[in-house]
Amino acid sequence: MIDHAEVYAQKWQLKEISYEGETTCSNFYSCRSEEFGPALLKILNSNGLITERGGFALLARYNSNSAVRIYEHDETAALMQWLDGPRLLDIIDQGHEEDALNIQLEITGQLLKSQVSLTGLKTLEHLMADSLNMKPKAVPVWAQDVVPIAQAIAHDVMANRTDWQALHGDLHPRNIIKHRATWRAIDARGLLGPPALEYANLFINPWDRKELIFKHGRMEELARRVSIHLGCDVREVVSCAITNALFYAQSSFLIGQGRHPIKCIRQLLTIL
């Protein structure tokens, strides 16, 4: 066991701990809890502590029919319900794109309606700090015409905070899993921001399914449907989607990538 899994095994009385894998933010272990039965132990790494701090506390406050159940948690780790069904991405890959979209819209709406009150969450300004403070030399030549426009739009999004609330902050098809008859959100970023931002990942994900993302007319139709779902102006939806894509562009620039989010921004700008 690594990443202090043995500490949590004692703290939360866990047995049969087995390493399952890792992401850029965390390590996962299957285990058995004396109280809750089969469970998943997630332990954040240093990157996860930056990007997902507060996420466990937020998930714990959501209705258990719309988010994974959190049995125990602190800032670093969580013991959570073992979800045994497919991810929403699997439904997309089976050719049921419309069904998947409706599921994500429904889950997003359920989370927003929860109106969770939670102190200490990072704000959108905190999340976007590096994206808004990029030096010109940090922006690839092929993105220099787009980034300043996206930065200005992001500033406008952050100027009005009257409707901000606690957001999952990272809803996409890999973070929605079926458990028996219901779909549950997992892996919350935990963020304070405008409701339209909760839908922003729809426009850029699934990240590696480019033929779907850039299908002709898809982004315009998404913007229309989300605006109806939220009861807000299309421009608000698109502006939040651009802000979200800018965040991913900046973080991708650091590793010599970023063409996908920049292409998304270019298409979104045509809707404004």
Side-chain angles (χ1 to χ4, degrees):
M1 289 185 289
I2 58 176
D3 283 342
H4 308 296
E6 67 278 5
V7 173
Y8 289 102
Q10 295 179 3
K11 180 178 181 180
W12 292 333
Q13 299 181 326
L14 308 179
K15 297 179 180 179
E16 303 173 25
I17 294 185
S18 177
Y19 181 68
E20 294 291 333
E22 65 182 90
T23 69
T24 57
C25 294
S26 59
N27 288 307
F28 294 89
Y29 304 83
S30 58
C31 61
R32 177 168 291 275
S33 162
E34 292 184 8
E35 181 177 357
F36 304 109
L40 185 72
L41 174 64
K42 176 179 176 178
I43 302 178
L44 299 178
N45 57 27
S46 57
N47 184 53
L49 286 171
I50 295 171
T51 59
E52 294 188 23
R53 187 184 297 273
F56 296 144
L58 184 61
L59 285 170
R61 296 201 180 194
Y62 284 135
N63 184 303
S64 60
N65 286 328
S66 55
V68 63
R69 184 179 175 190
I70 303 294
Y71 300 130
E72 307 276 3
H73 71 88
D74 59 21
E75 283 198 342
T76 302
L79 180 69
M80 63 187 72
Q81 180 182 31
W82 182 272
L83 303 182
D84 54 8
R87 294 178 187 262
L88 196 57
L89 181 63
D90 297 323
I91 304 303
I92 292 173
D93 286 344
Q94 290 166 12
H96 304 299
E97 298 167 4
E98 180 65 18
D99 291 341
L101 174 58
N102 287 329
I103 290 167
Q104 185 162 345
L105 288 172
E106 178 63 23
I107 287 290
T108 307
Q110 288 176 12
L111 297 184
L112 288 173
K113 287 178 183 177
S114 297
Q115 288 288 326
V116 173
S117 178
L118 191 64
T119 60
L121 286 179
K122 57 185 167 292
T123 65
L124 179 58
E125 290 102 332
H126 177 82
L127 180 72
M128 296 297 299
D130 289 340
S131 302
L132 296 178
N133 295 319
M134 278 188 289
K135 304 294 184 185
K137 65 180 180 181
V139 180
V141 173
W142 43 264
Q144 289 179 359
D145 62 321
V146 172
V147 167
I149 301 172
Q151 288 174 320
I153 290 170
H155 276 295
D156 287 342
V157 167
M158 289 181 285
N160 182 4
R161 296 187 50 156
T162 57
D163 63 344
W164 284 23
Q165 66 180 81
L167 305 177
H168 177 287
D170 198 23
L171 284 173
H172 56 74
R174 287 183 171 86
N175 277 352
I176 300 175
I177 300 180
K178 193 172 187 179
H179 181 67
R180 298 174 184 170
T182 61
W183 290 88
R184 315 284 180 89
I186 64 170
D187 293 353
R189 178 176 287 143
L191 180 69
L192 190 65
L197 189 70
E198 197 75 295
Y199 295 86
N201 267 330
L202 279 168
F203 295 87
I204 200 169
N205 277 288
W207 189 278
D208 50 356
R209 305 298 193 269
K210 304 295 193 297
E211 71 286 351
L212 169 62
I213 294 300
F214 299 112
K215 183 188 297 184
H216 179 71
R218 174 182 176 272
M219 291 194 182
E220 291 89 342
E221 177 62 14
L222 271 180
R224 185 190 68 82
R225 291 183 64 172
V226 172
S227 68
I228 293 172
H229 208 72
L230 265 179
C232 69
D233 187 78
V234 168
R235 292 182 63 86
E236 182 177 345
V237 174
V238 175
S239 293
C240 282
I242 290 172
T243 298
N244 182 62
L246 176 64
F247 167 77
Y248 284 108
Q250 184 272 330
S251 56
S252 296
F253 292 161
L254 296 175
I255 55 175
Q257 300 177 11
R259 291 187 181 274
H260 173 64
I262 290 296
K263 185 175 180 180
C264 288
I265 292 173
R266 290 187 192 280
Q267 286 208 5
L268 288 163
L269 286 172
T270 66
I271 307 174
L272 289 179

